[in-house]
Amino acid sequence: FISVNCGAIPEHLFESELFGYEEGAFTGAKKGGKPGKFELADNGTIFLDEIGEMPLMMQTKLLRVLQEREAERVGGIKKYQINVRIITATNRNLKEMVDKGEFREDLFYRLNIIHLHIPALRERRQDIPILLSYYIKEICDKYRIQTKSFTQEAISAFMQYEWRGNIREMLNSIESLVTLVDGPIIELMHLSESMRGFEKSVIEERKP
């Protein structure tokens, strides 16, 4: 399983990152060349995250690779066969991008065989307590500290907050709290001012 964040690769390095390069292909190329992500994922799965950030030129090359099931390293003369399962993800509306000419229509339909829509965190607030329980244990294990827990008031604030940054924003908030709160219990007062303020406004609105 090979994961690629398309939003983190500079445009001029896309082709060499995905399909590899031969020795001497460009200044700074490694001796002996380097296999691309598709080569590394052969007979496995490649996950292209943030596919909506892929440049149009690279979309054309990716489409050709999907159709022909073969690719060629940058600076190479031999093609190699590709046998991979491709999974993509994006937080952008690819159909709208197709209509604007920002994403290739033929590539969109080639990739869109099985479409899974994952709602934003604010649209599935009932999942937040479960996610909090899972991620706080994972983050505590990461820092090798005793597992901490949230009070009910803190959980309620998490559930009411809008989470414009989705799950990544929530993960950053949990990690910050785990590392900054000394005790084993994370309370409402430990949360950021914006989260506490949102919880307060919700409580006041519910008062008779």
Side-chain angles (χ1 to χ4, degrees):
F1 180 86
I2 300 295
S3 179
V4 181
N5 186 342
C6 296
I9 303 175
E11 185 170 346
H12 64 283
L13 293 178
F14 248 106
E15 187 172 6
S16 60
E17 280 294 314
L18 291 186
F19 308 126
Y21 60 80
E22 295 290 355
E23 181 178 344
F26 50 83
T27 303
K30 288 184 178 180
K31 186 176 181 181
K34 180 183 176 182
K37 303 299 186 184
F38 273 86
E39 280 186 84
L40 296 173
D42 193 36
N43 293 320
T45 299
I46 187 167
F47 173 47
L48 302 177
D49 196 10
E50 304 292 356
I51 187 72
E53 306 298 326
M54 182 175 286
L56 278 169
M57 181 190 73
M58 201 62 225
Q59 292 175 29
T60 302
K61 294 184 177 180
L62 177 60
L63 178 65
R64 189 181 70 245
V65 167
L66 295 180
Q67 291 173 337
E68 299 176 0
R69 290 289 174 180
E70 61 182 17
E72 184 178 305
R73 287 186 179 187
V74 175
I77 56 174
K78 285 185 177 181
K79 292 187 176 182
Y80 57 86
Q81 297 297 308
I82 289 176
N83 178 32
V84 295
R85 176 191 296 110
I86 298 177
I87 301 173
T88 64
T90 182
N91 61 357
R92 303 180 66 180
N93 189 321
L94 292 186
K95 194 67 177 67
E96 287 183 0
M97 292 180 67
V98 168
D99 295 338
K100 294 177 182 178
E102 298 173 351
F103 199 88
R104 287 189 62 110
E105 185 175 23
D106 42 8
L107 178 59
F108 171 74
Y109 287 114
R110 182 84 189 198
L111 294 172
N112 196 33
I113 297 173
I114 299 176
H115 181 202
L116 300 176
H117 173 64
I118 302 176
L121 195 57
R122 59 186 173 275
E123 297 174 16
R124 49 190 176 101
R125 299 178 190 274
Q126 71 279 3
D127 292 344
I128 289 178
I130 300 170
L131 292 170
L132 283 176
S133 177
Y134 174 80
Y135 284 117
I136 196 168
K137 183 179 185 306
E138 184 179 75
I139 293 171
C140 287
D141 289 345
K142 171 184 174 182
Y143 288 102
R144 298 181 181 179
I145 59 179
Q146 183 180 358
T147 301
K148 301 185 180 186
S149 61
F150 291 95
T151 63
Q152 191 56 49
E153 290 79 9
I155 294 174
S156 179
F158 267 81
M159 293 181 70
Q160 297 299 336
Y161 190 64
E162 285 298 302
W163 300 115
R164 293 294 178 184
N166 220 342
I167 190 72
R168 290 172 183 168
E169 182 185 359
M170 192 176 82
L171 280 173
N172 288 340
S173 297
I174 297 171
E175 188 161 6
S176 176
L177 290 165
V178 164
T179 54
L180 294 178
V181 175
D182 291 330
I185 305 296
I186 298 174
E187 301 182 45
L188 181 62
M189 65 178 182
H190 294 132
L191 306 189
S192 66
E193 186 177 345
S194 59
M195 290 184 67
R196 295 199 312 272
F198 195 91
E199 171 68 6
K200 182 180 178 182
S201 67
V202 171
I203 291 173
E204 287 177 349
E205 286 174 7
R206 289 176 180 172
K207 285 182 178 179

